[in-house]
Amino acid sequence: MKYYLVLLFTGLSLTVYSQSFEVKGRVTDKMNAEPLEAATIYIQSITDNALITYTISDQKGNFELAGRTKAKEVNLLISYNGYKKITRKISLNKATIDIGNIQIEELAEELQGVEVVGERAPITIKKDTLEFNVSSFKTKPDAMVEDLLKKLPGIEVDTDGKITVNGKEVNEVLVNGKPFFGSDLTIATKNLSKDIVDKIQITDTKSDSEKFTGRKSTSDNKSVNITLKKGKNKGIFGRVTAGYGTDSRYEMSGIGNYFNEDQRVSVLASSNNINSSGFSSDEVFDMMGNRRGNLGFRQGEGITTSSNIGANYVDVWGEGKEASADYFYAKSDTENNSRKERETILPDSHFFTETLAATVNNNDSHRASSKFEIEPDSTLKITIRPSFNYTSGFSSSVSSTKSSDEFQQLINESSIESTGTSDRRNFANSISIIKKIGSNGAYISARFRNRNIENNEEDFLVTSKEVFGSNASLENRNQFTKDNTTEGEWNLDLELRQPIVKNLFLDLNYEVEKEKQRKKLSIHNFNAQTNAYSDFDARLSSNLKTTSAVHRTTAGLNFEGDKLYASFSAGLLRTNLITEEFSRNTKFEKTFNDVALQSRIRYRMGRGKRISIRYNTESNTPSAAQLQPVADESNLTNIVTGNPNLDREYNHRINLGLSNFDFRSRTGIFVWANLNLTDHRITPITIIDEDLIRRSTYTNVDGNYDGRLGASFSKTIKRDNSSLKYRIRLSTNYSKRYNFSNGTKFSTQSLGVSPSLRLTYSYNDLIEIEPEYSVSFNKASYSLDRIEDRDFLSHKVGLRTTTYWPKNIVFGNDIQYNYNPDVAAGFDKGAIFWNMSLGLKILEEKGVVKLKVYDLLDSNINTRRSITADYIEDSQSTLLKRYFMLSFTYKVNRVGGKASRGRGRGSWRGRRMH
C-alpha cells in the first residue's frame, strides 16, 4: 500500500509546476451576430496537438475554459457544426484571458468525406446527438470501448459494466447503428478495441418506429452507437484466453469478429467453473468470479460451471434490405448449500425458523432470433422478427426446516426432497408495417405479435412434517407431480399520427390483446402395494384454463419542439378475464373497465440541462397461481391456495428527472424521483396455527404506495497528465404497505437511506486509484404495537488500484470490505474480499500472461439480511473460495488490411490527452 501512496503523492506534486489559466469569450454568427449555443471550444498544445481542455458555449454563446499546463502558448480552436473552424494562438501570460467576441462564418457547402486528423473537435452536438471524437481522449494501451467510455464526460460505468449517461441508464449499444450480440451490452463494450473506433454517439433510445418516422423519443434511457473508423470496418479481430488454477479452477474463452463493411459475423465460446460469463475483456480483473448472467441463463447463488457458444450475423442484402440473426447455446451446472434464519412477527407473538438446503441445478438453453428489415421506398418499412427459445433442466434439492416459538421451544420439523426435470419451448414473432404519409410527420402503422409457450415439468417429491407437543403428529408424503402448461397470445396494435399545426400531432391508437393459458397439474401418490405412483390425488390436482382479452383505445396530443416535448393521451381499457377449473367444474368471469392515462413533459433548458415529468396508469391482472382455487401443499408447513375472486391491480406512476451537466466545469448534477400508488394490490393473507403451520391465500388491499428520491453530484478535475473524478450519491426510498399477520391487517412503513462516495484518480496512464464508501440504513415501522420497529445498517468500503509501470506490466488490486452489524448471532458480520492480478504483455503486446488470485485472504462471505412486512431473515450460501490461476490471452487484430500492433510506452503519453 505504501507503493501506491508514493505514486499518488508523486503524481500530485508534479502538477504543482503547471500554471492555472482561464480563457473566456463569446461565439456568434458572423452574418447576423446571433449567439451560437453548443459550439465546441478547446485548447491544444502547439508542439504535439495534445488536447488540454475543452468546453461548450451556453445559450448566449459565452464560454469559459479553465485548465492547467506547463505550456506558455497554446492553440485555441472553435468548432460548430456547419461553420468554418477558427484557430488562434494565444499566450498564457496571465491567469485570466478574455478574447472577446469571436465571429465564425457559415460554410457555403459541407465537405463530404474529408477528415483532418487532430483538428476535429473533441465534442460535437448535433440536435439530439452528443458525439465524442475518440482520438481526443487518451486511454491506456489496448483499451476496450468500456475503458474509453469511462473517460468521456457525463458517462459512468460501474463494476458490472452498467452504463449511465447524465444519470440515464444505457439500454442499447450499437455498432455502426446495428445491434451487437443482442441485449448483452457488455459483449460490445468489453470486446471491441478503442483503436478501431472513430466516434461514440449518445442519443435518447428510440424504437424502430421512432427512428424511421423521425418521431421524438419517448424513452427514459440512452443509446450508445459505436462508429468504426473508415477502413477499420474491414478485417478480423478477436482474442482467446485459457487458464488453470488451484482447486481445479479453469477458464477458457474466445471471441472472433469478421467485418466486411456492412457485413459482420461474430462468434464466441467459453467454459469455466468460476462463476463467470466468460466474455469480459477487462485487462486487469477479467473472469474473476463475475456474477453477471449471460446468454440465456442467469447465475444465482452457489458455484456454477458454465459453457456457452454463440454467433451473430448482420448484413445488408441490397438496397433497402437488412438482415441480422443470432444463436446462443448456454449450459450451466450450479451447486449451492444455504442456511436461513427467519423471525416471523405475529400480532401477539413471534416465532423462529431455521432452514438448511442443498440444491443442484443443471440447465441447457438454446436461443435463436433474427430480424429482417425491408424498405421498398423511403415511405414504407416492414420489419419481421421471429425468435425461438428452448430450455431443458434438471434439479435436485434437499431441505430441512425447524420452527420454534418465542421461548425457543421446538414446535415442528419438516423436510423436502425433490428431483425433477423440465423443458420449455417459446416461439415468438412480430411483423411491423409503417407507412409515412407525406413529409409533415404523418404516418400509419400496424404491428402484429404472437407468442406460443409450452412448459412441461415432472417432479418426484418426498415431504414430511412432524409436530411436537400436545398435538403431536407425523405426516409423510411421496408424490409424483406432472405440470403441463401451454400459453398462446396474440396482439394487434394500430396507430395513426396526423399533424395539426407545426410540431403538434394527433395520435390515435387501438390495441387488442388475447391470451389463453391451460395449466394441468396431476399429482399421484406412491402406492406401496403396486410399488408405483398409481394413486391419483384429485384433491391436490387441478385443470385450470384462463382466458383474457384486453382492448385499449386511446387518443393523444403530442407537441415536439426543439426544447419542449409534451404529450397527453387518454382512453379506455377494457379487460375481460375468464377462469375455468375443469376438475371442480367451476367458472369465474370478470370484466374490468379502467381509464388509461399517460402524460409527459420534457423541457431542455440548455445543453446538458433537462427536466422531465411523466405520469401514467397501469392495470395488472392476477396470475394463474393467484387465481387457482387449489392448495399447493408441496411444503407441508406453508400451504398456499389461490383466490378466483381476485380483482386486478391498478397503479398510478409519477416520475421526475432533472439533469444538468456543465461541460465547462465537467460537473454533473442529477436528481430523480418516483412515486407509485397502487389500488387493489394483490396481497397474501396468512393464518398461522398453534403448530406454526402457515395457510395462505390472496386478497386485494387499497392504500399502498412507495416512492424513491435520489441525487448525485459528479465532477472531474483535469491537470495535464493527471485527473481526479469524484461522485457523491444519495438514494432514499419510502413505502407504506398493508399486509396481514395471522389474519390481522396492519401497515408497514419502510425507509431506506443510502449515501455513497467514489473517487477516481489517474496519473499519466501509469496509475489509477479508485476508493469508494457507501452506507445503507433501513428502518421498518409497524402499526401493530406488539411488533417492534426494526433497523438495519450495512457498510461497504472499496479500493481498486491499477498500475501500468514498469512497461508491459499491469498490476491490479480490488479490495472490498463489507460489514453488517445487525445480522443474527452465528452469521459472519464482516470480511475483507481481495482480488489481485499481475499481468505481463509479451509477443509485441499481443499476448498477456496473467497470474490472478481470487479472494486473497480467503475470507469472503455473502451474509445478507432482508426485512419484509412480517419477517426478518438472515442468510448465507455457498460461494467461490480462494484460488490462484495462471492464464494466457492472445489477441488478433487485422483490420484495414494489415495487423494492428500494440503501442509501446511512448504512446502511453500519446499526442492526445483526456
Side-chain angles (χ1 to χ4, degrees), residues 539-761:
R539 185 177 63 88
L540 300 180
S541 300
S542 65
N543 186 352
L544 180 71
K545 177 182 178 183
T546 60
T547 305
S548 66
V550 181
H551 298 265
R552 182 194 300 266
T553 305
T554 59
L557 291 174
N558 285 267
F559 179 82
E560 301 183 358
D562 291 335
K563 292 188 175 182
L564 175 65
Y565 172 85
S567 68
F568 175 80
S569 66
L572 297 176
L573 177 65
R574 182 180 177 86
T575 304
N576 179 256
L577 180 65
I578 303 173
T579 60
E580 298 177 83
E581 175 53 68
F582 295 100
S583 60
R584 288 159 178 77
N585 196 27
T586 59
K587 181 177 181 180
F588 302 90
E589 182 173 0
K590 284 195 171 186
T591 300
F592 311 113
N593 293 298
D594 296 307
V595 177
L597 299 174
Q598 182 168 319
S599 63
R600 161 177 261 167
I601 297 176
R602 187 172 63 214
Y603 181 69
R604 183 175 63 84
M605 297 171 283
R607 291 298 179 184
K609 185 184 297 185
R610 187 166 72 170
I611 185 171
S612 64
I613 303 174
R614 184 174 186 174
Y615 166 77
N616 69 287
T617 60
E618 185 179 87
S619 179
N620 299 316
T621 56
S623 67
Q626 293 169 333
L627 292 168
Q628 195 165 10
V630 178
D632 178 1
E633 298 187 12
S634 56
N635 184 340
L636 293 176
T637 61
N638 187 17
I639 301 169
V640 181
T641 306
N643 177 9
N645 295 310
L646 282 177
D647 202 345
R648 54 85 182 95
E649 289 185 347
Y650 191 69
N651 297 293
H652 303 263
R653 302 184 185 275
I654 303 173
N655 301 286
L656 171 67
L658 172 64
S659 62
N660 182 8
F661 189 85
D662 185 353
F663 286 95
R664 181 186 69 84
S665 61
R666 294 173 176 81
T667 301
I669 301 174
F670 315 112
V671 179
W672 63 93
N674 305 311
L675 178 63
N676 180 35
L677 308 174
T678 306
D679 294 328
H680 313 307
R681 176 174 172 261
I682 298 174
T683 305
I685 179 169
T686 302
I687 300 296
I688 302 175
D689 63 24
E690 59 183 3
D691 297 325
L692 303 185
I693 307 301
R694 301 167 60 95
R695 289 178 172 84
S696 303
T697 187
Y698 300 94
T699 189
N700 294 104
V701 180
D702 291 332
N704 298 275
Y705 60 86
D706 58 81
R708 294 179 179 273
L709 175 65
S712 69
F713 173 83
S714 64
K715 184 176 179 61
T716 301
I717 302 172
K718 175 72 173 63
R719 297 293 185 265
D720 275 348
N721 295 334
S722 65
S723 70
L724 174 66
K725 181 178 181 179
Y726 61 90
R727 189 197 73 177
I728 303 171
R729 183 185 178 103
L730 176 65
S731 177
T732 63
N733 61 81
Y734 179 81
S735 67
K736 183 176 183 179
R737 298 285 179 89
Y738 285 96
N739 293 276
F740 294 86
S741 179
N742 229 12
T744 301
K745 184 179 179 181
F746 70 100
S747 66
T748 303
Q749 299 182 62
S750 301
L751 173 66
V753 181
S754 301
S756 65
L757 171 65
R758 180 168 56 179
L759 305 175
T760 302
Y761 173 78

Side-chain angles (χ1 to χ4, degrees), residues 360-572:
V360 174
N361 288 291
N362 303 326
N363 291 288
D364 289 82
S365 171
H366 300 263
R367 189 180 78 202
S369 64
S370 59
K371 180 180 178 180
F372 305 94
E373 295 182 334
I374 304 170
E375 295 185 25
D377 56 55
S378 60
T379 67
L380 180 63
K381 182 175 184 177
I382 303 171
T383 305
I384 304 172
R385 289 184 172 181
S387 65
F388 176 75
N389 295 347
Y390 173 73
T391 303
S392 62
F394 167 82
S395 64
S396 175
S397 66
V398 178
S399 66
S400 62
T401 301
K402 295 181 179 181
S403 300
S404 305
D405 62 19
E406 55 189 320
F407 305 106
Q408 300 299 321
Q409 182 71 35
L410 183 64
I411 303 299
N412 69 55
E413 287 184 345
S414 64
S415 65
I416 302 175
E417 296 183 22
S418 173
T419 303
T421 60
S422 65
D423 67 85
R424 180 182 177 89
R425 297 171 176 83
N426 184 347
F427 172 77
N429 186 39
S430 71
I431 301 175
S432 172
I433 303 174
I434 306 174
K435 174 66 177 179
K436 296 180 185 178
I437 304 173
S439 58
N440 54 4
Y443 67 86
I444 186 171
S445 70
R447 182 176 62 174
F448 177 80
R449 293 174 295 171
N450 71 288
R451 183 184 64 170
N452 296 93
I453 298 175
E454 182 178 356
N455 187 50
N456 294 291
E457 297 181 8
E458 294 185 354
D459 190 22
F460 293 92
L461 190 67
V462 178
T463 61
S464 69
K465 176 188 69 176
E466 184 174 6
V467 177
F468 305 98
S470 58
N471 297 323
S473 64
L474 177 63
E475 183 177 0
N476 295 305
R477 289 184 182 175
N478 187 352
Q479 298 173 324
F480 171 69
T481 300
K482 186 173 183 179
D483 187 346
N484 172 257
T485 302
T486 57
E487 297 180 47
E489 176 187 347
W490 63 265
N491 173 283
L492 177 63
D493 190 354
L494 303 175
E495 184 179 2
L496 171 65
R497 163 164 281 206
Q498 180 64 42
I500 301 175
V501 295
K502 183 180 180 181
N503 296 333
L504 182 63
F505 301 89
L506 172 66
D507 290 334
L508 302 176
N509 179 266
Y510 171 70
E511 182 179 5
V512 57
E513 179 178 299
K514 293 194 175 183
E515 180 179 4
K516 291 183 179 181
Q517 183 184 89
R518 187 71 176 265
K519 183 179 179 66
K520 297 180 181 179
L521 179 65
S522 300
I523 296 180
H524 292 78
N525 294 312
F526 183 77
N527 188 315
Q529 295 180 347
T530 62
N531 197 32
Y533 293 92
S534 55
D535 295 344
F536 179 72
D537 194 327
R539 185 177 63 88
L540 300 180
S541 300
S542 65
N543 186 352
L544 180 71
K545 177 182 178 183
T546 60
T547 305
S548 66
V550 181
H551 298 265
R552 182 194 300 266
T553 305
T554 59
L557 291 174
N558 285 267
F559 179 82
E560 301 183 358
D562 291 335
K563 292 188 175 182
L564 175 65
Y565 172 85
S567 68
F568 175 80
S569 66
L572 297 176

Side-chain angles (χ1 to χ4, degrees), residues 166-184:
N166 294 341
K168 299 292 186 180
E169 183 177 350
V170 170
N171 67 335
E172 180 182 58
V173 173
L174 307 174
V175 177
N176 284 347
K178 306 299 179 185
F180 191 74
F181 270 108
S183 60
D184 194 324

